[in-house]
Amino acid sequence: MNEQIEKLLKLDVNDMTEKKNGLTYLSWSNAWKVAIQNDPEAVYEVDRYDDKPYLFDENLGYMVSTKVTMFGKTKTMQLPVMDGANKAMKNVSYKYTTKYNGEKTVEAATMFDINTAIMRCLVKNLALFGLGLYIYSGEDLPESDTAENNKKQSNEDVPF
């Protein structure tokens, strides 16, 4: 494995993270700072679709994508634009029902939401190089398993 990536994999960034709705986040500014400290030549790019920084589907919502080049390699990451409960945002508000807290509303996406998703996508993209990768462990668990674990931890909605 690449020595530089191995170094980022071993790096503890817990003192730079914050918790929100039971999830751990590494801010884009801290992540980017660590990235350029380890590779001053690092660059990131926001993918564009018809000259917009997002891809939109009326049924599915918005998606953003970034490319990061570090250590001479380029990697791409995608992320849907989501609300605080990690529900996909669309161009109109919509309602859904939760098992534990009844009916909820997802507001229509704004440019602020799209910008936030881009910066979250950047951090996730940096994790592909090893930076804070451990933060994402378990995020791909089946929803039913995660829902049961979250029910035990709190009475909040499942963060998906």
Side-chain angles (χ1 to χ4, degrees), residues 25-80:
Y25 291 92
L26 175 62
S27 75
W28 73 266
S29 58
N30 285 331
W32 188 245
K33 177 182 175 184
V34 173
I36 60 175
Q37 285 173 334
N38 284 273
D39 181 1
E41 302 297 317
V43 294
Y44 80 89
E45 176 184 345
V46 177
D47 291 330
R48 301 188 76 76
Y49 305 89
D50 295 326
D51 208 31
K52 295 178 179 139
Y54 57 84
L55 179 63
F56 174 71
D57 179 272
E58 191 172 312
N59 295 313
L60 301 174
Y62 294 89
M63 177 78 75
V64 298
S65 178
T66 59
K67 286 186 181 81
V68 171
T69 303
M70 288 182 71
F71 316 124
K73 301 226 185 254
T74 301
K75 299 183 184 215
T76 302
M77 177 57 66
Q78 302 80 29
L79 187 72

Side-chain angles (χ1 to χ4, degrees), residues 10-27:
K10 292 178 182 175
L11 189 62
D12 181 354
V13 294
N14 286 336
D15 61 336
M16 298 180 196
T17 63
E18 53 191 80
K19 293 240 184 228
K20 186 175 180 181
N21 296 330
L23 300 174
T24 303
Y25 291 92
L26 175 62
S27 75

Side-chain angles (χ1 to χ4, degrees), residues 80-151:
V81 176
M82 299 175 285
D83 69 358
N86 286 350
K87 294 290 185 185
M89 298 179 84
K90 301 180 182 185
N91 63 338
V92 295
S93 64
Y94 69 92
K95 295 186 183 302
Y96 67 97
T97 304
T98 70
K99 196 184 242 185
Y100 307 108
N101 293 321
E103 191 173 81
K104 299 284 186 176
T105 301
V106 177
E107 297 299 328
T110 67
M111 279 300 171
F112 183 83
D113 300 313
I114 291 167
N115 183 67
T116 299
I118 289 169
M119 301 321 283
R120 286 179 64 203
C121 188
L122 169 61
V123 175
K124 202 168 182 178
N125 206 162
L126 291 169
L128 293 177
F129 291 92
L131 178 58
L133 182 62
Y134 63 89
I135 293 170
Y136 295 96
S137 293
E139 99 164 356
D140 56 350
L141 294 175
E143 191 168 334
S144 60
D145 292 348
T146 304
E148 187 60 35
N149 289 338
N150 283 339
K151 182 179 176 186

